[in-house]
Amino acid sequence: MKKQYDAIRAAAYDANLQLPKLGLVLFTFGNVSAADHEQRVFAIKPSGVPYDELSPAKMVIVDFDGNVVDGALRPSSDTKTHAVLYSHWPDVGGIVHTHSTYATAWAQALSDIPIFGTTHADHTTADIPCAPPMDDQMIAGDYEYQTGFQILHCLAERKLSHRDMEMILVGNHAPFTWGKDCHKAVYNSAVLESVAQMAYLTRQIQPDAARLKESLIRKHYERKHGPHSYYGQ
């Protein structure tokens, strides 16, 4: 193992362990990666290895073209999706993919998650998008690679920046989140699952629930992220 990758291996290992602790994965249904853009590589969970059997040494190092450059195990089956996103987003240092229950249910329903409340607005000002299913030719081709472009195309079509919308649902599949580092990406994954659950319950209580009004959306987002933010220390 090459020592130059120790930092991202350790970061990816720590972040992957958070997924079961936060109730975001069952068995091996998920992965976290941590990137080093200077070296153009990322560390990612090995495919099919239970979380309680992981170690920093088992994290696999992959370049931004999806090629393994260091590690004894096969990387996650979603590796090429991570590679596509890192190659397009130089400011993203971590990516998470889970099949968390409520977010995945919205993805399976091919539905955006509406912005119903201020918890959602604390993190983004838009509905959380659900990318449409890819066409049969893309599915039959390099599926995981195309999933990365499915995400990129959806954000572009919605005129959403990956900096402002750090989460997405892949239609009929499950959620992906990202952030400046892998720990922020895990945080976003937990937030997405919570927002997805609250939106589902809102619809159960009131099927015609109204979208949060724009003044509240702006107030809650800007008090955390705006030029005059005052949330936190």
Side-chain angles (χ1 to χ4, degrees), residues 54-230:
L54 293 178
S55 67
K58 289 182 180 178
M59 298 296 111
V60 187
I61 305 300
V62 181
D63 67 22
F64 286 2
D65 293 318
N67 304 306
V68 173
V69 298
D70 195 40
L73 300 173
R74 285 189 300 179
S76 164
S77 58
D78 299 297
T79 291
K80 288 185 178 180
T81 305
H82 292 240
V84 167
L85 298 180
Y86 284 130
S87 67
H88 284 80
W89 295 340
D91 53 347
V92 166
I95 296 171
V96 175
H97 173 53
T98 76
H99 287 250
S100 61
T101 302
Y102 285 89
T104 300
W106 284 91
Q108 292 178 171
L110 300 178
S111 296
D112 296 352
I113 302 176
I115 184 166
F116 284 137
T118 59
T119 309
H120 187 144
D122 281 339
H123 297 89
T124 182
T125 60
D127 297 349
I128 296 164
C130 181
M134 66 179 72
D135 63 34
D136 291 348
Q137 185 176 1
M138 293 169 71
I139 293 169
D142 198 339
Y143 174 69
E144 289 79 15
Y145 177 77
Q146 294 295 348
T147 300
F149 287 97
Q150 186 184 11
I151 292 169
L152 294 174
H153 292 158
C154 178
L155 291 176
E157 287 170 2
R158 304 291 187 95
K159 295 181 171 56
L160 294 169
S161 164
H162 71 276
R163 298 177 185 89
D164 299 325
M165 177 61 70
E166 295 183 323
M167 52 192 71
I168 198 169
L169 308 175
V170 174
N172 295 139
H173 188 180
F176 282 82
T177 64
W178 49 88
K180 64 181 180 179
D181 55 38
C182 56
H183 298 292
K184 179 65 187 304
V186 170
Y187 169 87
N188 286 334
S189 188
V191 167
L192 172 57
E193 178 63 6
S194 181
V195 167
Q197 182 178 14
M198 287 187 281
Y200 167 78
L201 293 171
T202 300
R203 279 269 178 90
Q204 294 301 301
I205 296 166
Q206 177 51 268
D208 298 323
R211 193 173 184 271
L212 189 64
K213 61 182 181 178
E214 193 64 28
S215 58
L216 272 174
I217 293 172
R218 285 291 162 193
K219 180 63 176 179
H220 272 262
Y221 186 77
E222 290 179 4
R223 72 175 190 161
K224 289 188 77 170
H225 308 284
H228 305 294
S229 61
Y230 56 88

